[in-house]
Amino acid sequence: MGLKHFFVIILMFSIFLITGCSNNVDKGTEDIDNEFPPSYTGLIIINGTEYQMEKGGYKWERKKVLGTEVVQTDHASPNQMAEHMESISTIPNQKVYIKIEGNPDIKVYLWNEKGLEKEIEQKANQIIVPSSKGKYIYEVLAEWTNGTISYTFVVEVQ
């Protein structure tokens, strides 16, 4: 091994050591973006009224110097959560706008008392509830670059 290779290795090791050992001494300057896992709020808007969705399971990852930190929760399924949730009363064919902090990609699923029924078509973060009367359980799966969160809401079409 030549002297040039030796100095390159020493330089790389020094940069790694300095980067790995640097620390933000003034913790008061950390901003909310460094919260891990982040606590994004999920809302639905029906006819101008906002309702908070119930947060379910989530998984977040972030890269660290010596690996990846992962936080994952196990949570009740949307149909189990719905047993303890208050339904939002609405009319047939009502538009529901889904609003989640951080503007994630979303998928919407319809659940029944037995389990997952089907994926619901959504456009521009909006769905339309069915025209038939009844109770409908929805799961919104929000996906960011570093994680996912499941949200649940229940509507009752009158």
Side-chain angles (χ1 to χ4, degrees), residues 60-95:
W60 284 96
E61 295 182 9
R62 71 175 168 187
K63 301 290 182 206
K64 302 286 267 182
V65 174
L66 297 175
T68 302
E69 183 178 7
V70 178
V71 175
Q72 184 169 356
T73 63
D74 189 21
H75 202 279
S77 65
N79 57 340
Q80 293 168 326
M81 291 171 63
E83 293 174 10
H84 308 288
M85 293 175 65
E86 202 170 310
S87 299
I88 300 164
S89 193
T90 189
I91 60 172
N93 300 312
Q94 177 69 53
K95 281 187 181 179

Side-chain angles (χ1 to χ4, degrees), residues 24-36:
N24 183 2
V25 176
D26 182 11
K27 294 294 184 189
T29 62
E30 285 185 1
D31 65 77
I32 192 120
D33 291 336
N34 290 334
E35 179 186 12
F36 185 75

Side-chain angles (χ1 to χ4, degrees), residues 50-156:
E50 289 186 351
Y51 303 91
Q52 189 158 342
M53 291 186 286
E54 191 75 31
K55 191 179 197 179
Y58 60 87
K59 179 180 179 181
W60 284 96
E61 295 182 9
R62 71 175 168 187
K63 301 290 182 206
K64 302 286 267 182
V65 174
L66 297 175
T68 302
E69 183 178 7
V70 178
V71 175
Q72 184 169 356
T73 63
D74 189 21
H75 202 279
S77 65
N79 57 340
Q80 293 168 326
M81 291 171 63
E83 293 174 10
H84 308 288
M85 293 175 65
E86 202 170 310
S87 299
I88 300 164
S89 193
T90 189
I91 60 172
N93 300 312
Q94 177 69 53
K95 281 187 181 179
V96 176
Y97 177 70
I98 300 164
K99 181 179 170 184
I100 302 174
E101 287 181 274
N103 198 28
D105 291 329
I106 66 167
K107 289 185 178 177
V108 182
Y109 299 96
L110 180 64
W111 285 69
N112 59 39
E113 58 282 339
K114 295 178 184 172
L116 178 63
E117 193 170 311
K118 64 180 178 178
E119 184 171 353
I120 299 296
E121 183 179 337
Q122 59 92 17
K123 291 184 181 169
N125 292 356
Q126 289 186 34
I127 64 167
I128 297 175
V129 300
S131 57
S132 302
K133 290 182 179 185
K135 187 175 176 179
Y136 298 91
I137 304 164
Y138 291 96
E139 175 187 27
V140 178
L141 192 60
E143 187 171 343
W144 294 262
T145 305
N146 297 328
T148 58
I149 300 176
S150 170
Y151 298 93
T152 299
F153 67 97
V154 181
V155 295
E156 187 157 351

